[in-house]
Amino acid sequence: SPAPREKSQAALKLHSHSQPHSMPRRLTPRFGDADLGRLLDTVETRRDVLFPQGSQKVSHRAASASWDAVVVAVSSGSVIRRTGLHCRKNLHRAARVTWH
């Protein structure tokens, strides 16, 4: 039976070969007050496109372009590059905190 160190090295080697393109997840810092403020202000100006009401229809292209504009606005005042997913998650997190 191989020694524990050899087992862990073999497992690491096996894992690295089974998922050659996997990268370790990098955590991004939480939104600060300024980032959150920019996010809320920018989403508010694009509310009709991002969150259409009733029977109002918005194309996927228009909604995507609006989220891209939100990302640019939020990232412009920060050294951290945010993504649309970061912005949407933090917007929903802020809404949950506000509602509860």
Side-chain angles (χ1 to χ4, degrees):
S1 167
R5 180 179 168 101
E6 291 172 355
K7 282 184 180 180
S8 65
Q9 287 177 342
L12 181 62
K13 186 181 275 190
L14 176 64
H15 178 71
S16 67
H17 287 298
S18 64
Q19 297 178 351
H21 297 291
S22 65
M23 296 290 292
R25 258 182 73 179
R26 286 183 18 195
L27 298 176
T28 55
R30 290 193 177 268
F31 274 48
D33 290 340
D35 292 337
L36 187 57
R38 279 190 302 277
L39 173 65
L40 295 174
D41 290 344
T42 308
V43 167
E44 179 63 31
T45 62
R46 292 170 171 73
R47 177 192 291 198
D48 294 339
V49 176
L50 295 173
F51 304 105
Q53 297 295 312
S55 62
Q56 182 183 6
K57 301 288 184 193
V58 174
S59 72
H60 177 72
R61 183 176 291 189
S64 182
S66 288
W67 278 114
D68 289 345
V70 169
V71 167
V72 168
V74 171
S75 296
S76 69
S78 178
V79 295
I80 302 163
R81 173 78 172 120
R82 302 293 184 177
T83 66
L85 183 60
H86 291 144
C87 291
R88 284 190 294 275
K89 282 184 174 182
N90 278 280
L91 179 66
H92 291 294
R93 184 178 298 130
R96 262 197 328 266
V97 168
T98 305
W99 291 335
H100 291 128

